Amino acid sequence: MGTDTVRTDAADDAAGRRREQRGWYFYDWACSVYSTSVLTVFLGPYLTSVAKAAADADGYVHPLGIPVRAGSFFAYSVSLSVILAVLVMPVVGAAADRTGRKKPLLAAAAYTGAVATTGLFFLDGDRYLLGGALLIVANAAQSVAMMLYNSYLPQIAPPEERDAVSSRGWAFGYAAGSVVLIADLVLYLAHDTFGVSETTAVRICLASAGLWWGAFTLVPLRRLRDRRSPSREAALPGLRQLAATVRDMRRHPLTLAFLLAYLVYNDGIQTVISQASVYGSEELGLGQSTLIAAVLLVQVLAVAGALGMGLLARHYGAKRTILGSLVAWTVTLGAGYFLPAGAPAWFFVLAAGIGLVLGGSQALSRSLFSHLVPPGKEAEYFSAYEVSDRGMSWLGPLLFGLTYQLTGSYRDAIISLVIFFVVGFVLLARVPVRRAIGDAGNPVPERI
């Protein structure tokens, strides 16, 4: 009878864990639409056009009296949002760990971002300041929410399940991005058929991403549960909290070593994502419709890539699979260097290569890091991880821009990014992950 009771309890625990995991997947489904439709495809060009409509004769706008080229306003707004996120994330992460109340904080961040994104519907005419303010709020809120979302992973999945769970989460996100982007493209390309102008179609696409984000966030909020923390210490202000987290990480140097490797190769990944369209338009002479179709192809194949690399990790371990993906990134960039101009088919091949390694690289990095986090420090450490993911990805674009400035060739600029994957490979290969997991106080999976 006692054995039956234990088995029943174990089955109930497993069923509860699966329920939480399914709810967790749905936050990626909810928020990834913002990254795809808003940040990657529509908002940059549209906000730039709104800023240009408000510009003076010399092409400048003047937020807070500061002269800014209209064409740079979007980039500066993104940069300000990153600065805001870097200040807020460590405080929220520490508060989440010390109070054990992640879910209310996740709800606050998610709905702040969703409301700000929905508000982009009112971005028209010359309201560039409204657009910039909403972008800063939405982008910072997304970073904070993703940090909290990621910090649930060690709590909802035992070590042997994390690679698969993380990969499914990324796959859900890319699937949602694909579904909504298809709907957006139908509305955008056939806006006359729907009786709306092109700018109204863009505004609907922007606002619908916020509504989608808010609606599907209800699922994880219903299914995830908070764990009480024994610590009740107060969080420190902004950068002081981040510094305190980094100092704590110094007690776990192997965790810090992994984070450094991730910072390097993720900088390369983020730069390829952000600059691939520039390479396609400026160097290869491809049109906007081709570039948007390529983004959609990346989204679709990233679903298969995330799930496929999750399966590879089950057989070969997450570290080896990530190392293999960095080799694939290097080969993909090398092939991109030789792409002929005016040949969309070959650019789609490049996009396919990016899609197949993109989701898996990110998913397995997240799950591997989750093993290196000391128990009770999940949100605090994932705030540093998220800062690495979003706040430190500046060196790649700088190298890309400097290479183009010195050589006048986008081909040289794109191939220069190989250095991030080579250095990242070397740094990650040197991290003894089994010892790092043990040093963090976590059980070491059979295959990692």
Side-chain angles (χ1 to χ4, degrees):
M1 183 66 179
T3 302
D4 291 341
T5 301
V6 170
R7 287 176 179 170
T8 301
D9 290 343
D12 289 343
D13 288 344
R17 188 170 70 248
R18 296 283 185 271
R19 175 181 169 81
E20 275 198 278
Q21 288 172 2
R22 286 191 291 270
W24 187 79
Y25 301 148
F26 266 95
Y27 187 71
D28 233 324
W29 176 272
C31 75
S32 292
V33 170
Y34 167 82
S35 299
T36 304
S37 292
V38 176
L39 208 57
T40 302
V41 177
F42 288 109
L43 186 56
Y46 184 61
L47 180 55
T48 300
S49 69
V50 172
K52 286 181 177 179
D56 59 22
D58 296 321
Y60 285 84
V61 290
H62 299 269
L64 304 177
I66 303 170
V68 173
R69 281 195 181 276
S72 300
F73 183 73
F74 173 73
Y76 288 146
S77 298
V78 172
S79 296
L80 284 174
S81 74
V82 170
I83 293 171
L84 178 60
V86 167
L87 292 172
V88 174
M89 279 193 294
V91 179
V92 175
D97 285 333
R98 289 164 181 167
T99 65
R101 293 178 59 78
K102 291 181 185 177
K103 196 156 65 169
L105 293 170
L106 175 61
Y111 282 105
T112 297
V115 170
T117 303
T118 305
L120 290 170
F121 180 79
F122 301 102
L123 175 60
D124 63 351
D126 59 358
R127 298 177 180 175
Y128 75 97
L129 280 175
L130 173 66
L134 292 174
L135 168 58
I136 290 168
V137 171
N139 214 39
Q142 193 216 25
S143 296
V144 173
M146 281 301 295
M147 173 267 295
L148 294 164
Y149 164 73
N150 287 338
S151 72
Y152 271 102
L153 180 58
Q155 298 179 340
I156 64 171
E160 67 276 8
E161 292 183 4
R162 283 185 205 162
D163 291 340
V165 170
S166 183
S167 297
R168 289 188 201 114
W170 278 105
F172 263 62
Y174 284 118
S178 302
V179 169
V180 175
L181 188 55
I182 290 171
D184 287 344
L185 290 179
V186 170
L187 175 61
Y188 177 72
L189 296 176
H191 59 85
D192 288 335
T193 304
F194 292 99
V196 297
S197 66
E198 182 177 307
T199 57
T200 301
V202 171
R203 290 162 52 211
I204 291 172
C205 292
L206 294 172
S208 63
L211 294 174
W212 178 285
W213 187 356
F216 284 104
T217 294
L218 291 172
V219 179
L221 291 180
R222 285 180 62 86
R223 294 198 171 188
L224 292 172
R225 59 188 180 86
D226 284 333
R227 279 83 171 166
R228 292 194 175 276
S229 172
S231 175
R232 297 287 174 182
E233 300 173 35
L236 298 170
L239 293 177
R240 286 179 58 195
Q241 180 61 59
L242 179 60
T245 301
V246 173
R247 282 196 301 271
D248 187 74
M249 280 186 169
R250 291 173 62 183
R251 298 191 299 109
H252 304 283
L254 297 180
T255 299
L256 204 54
F258 171 81
L259 197 60
L260 175 61
Y262 173 74
L263 188 154
V264 172
Y265 68 74
N266 183 65
D267 201 347
I269 291 173
Q270 297 301 324
T271 307
V272 172
I273 294 170
S274 65
Q275 301 302 322
S277 60
V278 175
Y279 182 66
S281 61
E282 299 297 326
E283 184 68 35
L284 305 182
L286 303 176
Q288 183 69 21
S289 59
T290 299
L291 298 176
I292 294 176
V295 170
L296 179 58
L297 179 63
V298 168
Q299 294 291 309
V300 172
L301 290 180
V303 177
L307 296 176
M309 287 181 64
L311 291 175
L312 287 174
R314 185 181 303 173
H315 295 286
Y316 300 104
K319 178 182 174 181
R320 288 183 181 178
T321 306
I322 295 171
L323 290 172
S325 77
L326 298 182
V327 174
W329 274 107
T330 303
V331 171
T332 300
L333 286 181
Y337 178 84
F338 295 102
L339 285 186
W346 286 109
F347 188 72
F348 286 137
V349 172
L350 178 68
I354 291 173
L356 288 173
V357 293
L358 173 62
S361 303
Q362 295 172 316
L364 294 179
S365 296
R366 175 172 65 185
S367 62
L368 183 53
F369 183 70
S370 74
H371 293 285
L372 308 178
V373 177
K377 296 273 189 179
E378 291 85 4
E380 189 175 342
Y381 271 55
F382 267 106
S383 71
Y385 181 87
E386 197 70 15
V387 166
S388 299
D389 189 10
R390 300 174 188 274
M392 299 299 182
S393 296
W394 56 271
L395 188 57
L398 177 62
L399 177 62
F400 186 92
L402 286 176
T403 304
Y404 177 73
Q405 183 170 328
L406 294 173
T407 67
S409 168
Y410 280 106
R411 293 184 188 274
D412 291 339
I414 202 75
I415 200 66
S416 71
L417 301 179
V418 165
I419 188 67
F420 290 97
F421 299 104
V422 173
V423 173
F425 181 99
V426 172
L427 291 175
L428 178 58
R430 292 169 59 88
V431 178
V433 293
R434 287 187 169 276
R435 182 149 60 91
I437 294 169
D439 288 351
N442 294 315
V444 181
E446 181 180 347
R447 193 177 300 280
I448 191 67

